[in-house]
Amino acid sequence: MAQWSGYLELILQGALVTLQLTVLGTVVALIMAFLGGLGRLSRHWWIRWLATGYIEFFRGTSIFVQLFWAYFVLPLFGIPLSPLQAGVLALGLNVGAYGAEVVRGAIQSVPKEQYEACTALNLTGWQRMRHVILPQAFVLMLPTFGNNAIELLKGTAVVSLISLSDMTFQAQVVRAQTGETALPFLTILLLYFVFSTAISTAIRGLERHLARGLDGTRS
Amino acid sequence: MDWDWVFAAEIIPTLLDGVVITIQATLLGSAVAMVVGMFFAILRRSRNVFVSKPVGFFIDFVRGTPLLVQLYFLFYILPDIGILLSPLVAGVIGLGLHYGTYTSEVYRAGIDNVPSGQWEAAKAANLTMPQTWCHVILPQAIPPMIPVLANYIVSMFKETPLLAAITVLELMNQARSLANFHYRYLEPMTLVGVFFLIISVFSVVLLRWLENRFKRVG
């Protein structure tokens, strides 16, 4: 039991990598979600096509295939990626594709009168998006975004397969060194659960915060 | 690195072996998920707090943690307590339990959508609880859920490569061993992607059909 604290430290180091991946991946996913979602609503057909292609491709193939492809095949085209970069890229692009559909759905669910009111007020396209549509749509996106962030957190476990030393990888190391299975795996299961609970609590708080003052606009 | 058609053609039969295992795992896993999900949903509605609370916590816990870690847990820890499972069986149980927690939400929504008049009528007809579930509630609740459940089967299919981590020789694992053996990653990895895309596209067509077939009337 004395060495266990040392092993726990190893697992906590892995937890840091997992957090890093989750945060960076979420940032990429958010950017891609808005690009993809707004792209699908674009006036230009080629932007719509590009966005649809991106979304369908990344939702159609599995995250593992994308991860392995990014890690093993991209270097052959002269794009060498570190495991962390490959992980962030694959997770971000994959979850971003799911997020893009959420963005599109939320924007489309803003009532048509809001658009008409913007035209009546002579707002530019950007002003309309920034001050009228997005503030209303974003609140609708939040709950699903929270679920997507949790999916991303769970997806980070997969990067342990491309030798990135995240929490799952470290648990395997501890297992290999001590022959103990239950303790390391229960520890990381618990840590993952704490993380995902933290995400869902934070999102719920944010949702309450942003929904203030929108009472009149939601039907 | 150039694409080598001869090599690609050479490895396709081995990859197809993997596809078969992948599909097997998906189908068996979905069968487990469908059954387990229904029990989760029914138990979570139990009026006994000592049943509904632990089941609710278990569902949240499984949903909040990665499937990969759960698979490791099943694969490495069950043998310690004397339960020896083949990798595929452990994988199917893992997939089934994990997705069972998702399908339980679908069942819950489906059950909630059955009008409360049906419950009252069942009570008035003096049906027992099992009779109410089997003959009144579930037959009405399940058809509208079928497209949503099918959606989860598709996502489960996309998670089967995880089984490679617990040594199941499914599509991804076959591709990896081929890639390591020939030291060529481009063709195996790309072909795996293509296989996944093809099967996904087919299942999307099937999904649309299911949605039309079980569309609610009225």
Side-chain angles (χ1 to χ4, degrees):
Chain A
M1 256 315 130
Q3 316 124 306
W4 176 241
S5 66
Y7 290 123
L8 189 65
E9 209 181 299
L10 210 61
I11 287 182
L12 288 180
Q13 276 169 18
L16 224 60
V17 176
T18 296
L19 276 184
Q20 205 181 357
L21 265 171
T22 310
V23 171
L24 292 176
T26 309
V27 171
V28 175
L30 260 181
I31 296 172
M32 289 315 292
F34 275 98
L35 284 181
L38 293 174
R40 276 203 68 170
L41 298 169
S42 164
R43 253 173 306 154
H44 306 285
W45 64 267
W46 56 273
I47 297 184
R48 278 201 307 273
W49 267 67
L50 213 64
T52 311
Y54 158 67
I55 293 170
E56 291 304 324
F57 178 79
F58 279 93
R59 293 194 341 158
T61 56
S62 132
I63 171 80
F64 316 106
V65 183
Q66 290 154 23
L67 188 68
F68 277 86
W69 212 81
Y71 187 60
F72 289 113
V73 179
L74 281 187
L76 305 177
F77 294 111
I79 314 172
L81 294 174
S82 73
L84 184 71
Q85 288 167 330
V88 168
L89 193 72
L91 285 167
L93 288 177
N94 182 278
V95 177
Y98 286 90
E101 287 294 270
V102 181
V103 170
R104 184 182 61 89
I107 288 178
Q108 280 179 331
S109 72
V110 174
K112 212 172 60 197
E113 295 81 27
Q114 299 281 336
Y115 288 86
E116 288 161 7
C118 291
T119 313
L121 287 171
N122 212 9
L123 297 185
T124 63
W126 164 250
Q127 284 172 326
R128 183 179 68 192
M129 235 346 142
R130 166 71 186 79
H131 297 289
V132 181
I133 307 301
L134 278 185
Q136 296 177 59
F138 194 63
V139 180
L140 298 177
M141 296 173 204
L142 265 179
T144 324
F145 273 173
N147 285 342
N148 286 350
I150 292 176
E151 290 298 321
L152 197 145
L153 166 73
K154 287 157 64 181
T156 59
V158 180
V159 299
S160 64
L161 300 178
I162 57 166
S163 71
L164 189 57
S165 48
D166 78 319
M167 210 148 65
T168 308
F169 186 86
Q170 300 290 36
Q172 286 279 38
V173 171
V174 173
R175 186 183 78 85
Q177 287 186 4
T178 61
E180 180 88 58
T181 32
L183 214 49
F185 281 116
L186 277 177
T187 311
I188 65 167
L189 277 175
L190 216 61
L191 281 171
Y192 276 116
F193 184 59
V194 169
F195 289 162
S196 59
T197 312
I199 293 176
S200 59
T201 313
I203 294 282
R204 228 170 300 147
L206 192 64
E207 202 189 332
R208 256 201 308 277
H209 179 75
L210 287 178
R212 277 183 311 183
L214 283 179
D215 299 334
T217 58
R218 284 215 254 180
S219 45
Chain B
M1 195 161 196
D2 297 318
W3 178 270
D4 182 350
W5 282 108
V6 181
F7 179 59
E10 210 174 277
I11 60 175
I12 278 184
T14 321
L15 289 178
L16 281 177
D17 286 347
V19 172
V20 173
I21 303 275
T22 293
I23 291 177
Q24 265 176 2
T26 309
L27 292 181
L28 291 172
S30 340
V32 174
M34 297 299 138
V35 176
V36 164
M38 189 170 71
F39 280 109
F40 278 157
I42 293 174
L43 288 178
R44 203 177 192 176
R45 290 173 69 92
S46 162
R47 250 166 292 152
N48 186 345
V49 199
F50 294 102
V51 175
S52 59
K53 287 278 176 209
V55 171
F57 177 78
F58 182 77
I59 292 175
D60 286 342
F61 190 85
V62 173
R63 281 169 70 111
T65 52
L67 176 60
L68 178 64
V69 183
Q70 292 161 10
L71 287 176
Y72 282 145
F73 193 82
L74 282 174
F75 188 60
Y76 292 127
I77 290 181
L78 287 185
D80 283 355
I81 54 170
I83 305 171
L84 280 175
L85 298 173
S86 78
L88 185 63
V89 174
V92 165
I93 294 177
L95 278 174
L97 271 183
H98 191 83
Y99 276 88
T101 61
Y102 285 89
T103 52
S104 81
E105 286 296 297
V106 183
Y107 280 103
R108 190 185 57 77
I111 292 168
D112 284 347
N113 270 335
V114 176
S116 56
Q118 299 288 332
W119 289 95
E120 287 153 18
K123 192 166 234 169
N126 209 12
L127 297 184
T128 63
M129 224 27 183
Q131 283 173 328
T132 310
W133 278 111
C134 295
H135 299 296
V136 182
I137 305 302
L138 289 180
Q140 296 183 69
I142 289 178
M145 310 188 303
I146 286 175
V148 192
L149 291 177
N151 222 336
Y152 278 113
I153 297 181
V154 177
S155 20
M156 183 190 291
F157 163 71
K158 280 182 276 185
E159 296 237 37
T160 51
L162 274 186
L163 300 186
I166 56 167
T167 72
V168 178
L169 265 183
E170 45 68 70
L171 179 55
M172 193 71 189
N173 215 1
Q174 294 280 20
R176 246 171 48 176
S177 59
L178 280 170
N180 289 334
F181 184 73
H182 297 279
Y183 207 68
R184 283 186 73 92
Y185 287 93
L186 178 62
E187 291 87 358
M189 292 301 157
T190 310
L191 280 174
V192 169
V194 171
F195 276 125
F196 268 94
L197 210 55
I198 293 174
I199 301 179
S200 292
V201 167
F202 268 112
S203 40
V204 167
V205 173
L206 194 71
L207 267 178
R208 294 271 172 283
W209 180 80
L210 277 175
E211 263 163 34
N212 283 326
R213 172 74 179 71
F214 291 102
K215 204 160 26 183
R216 240 200 215 175
V217 191

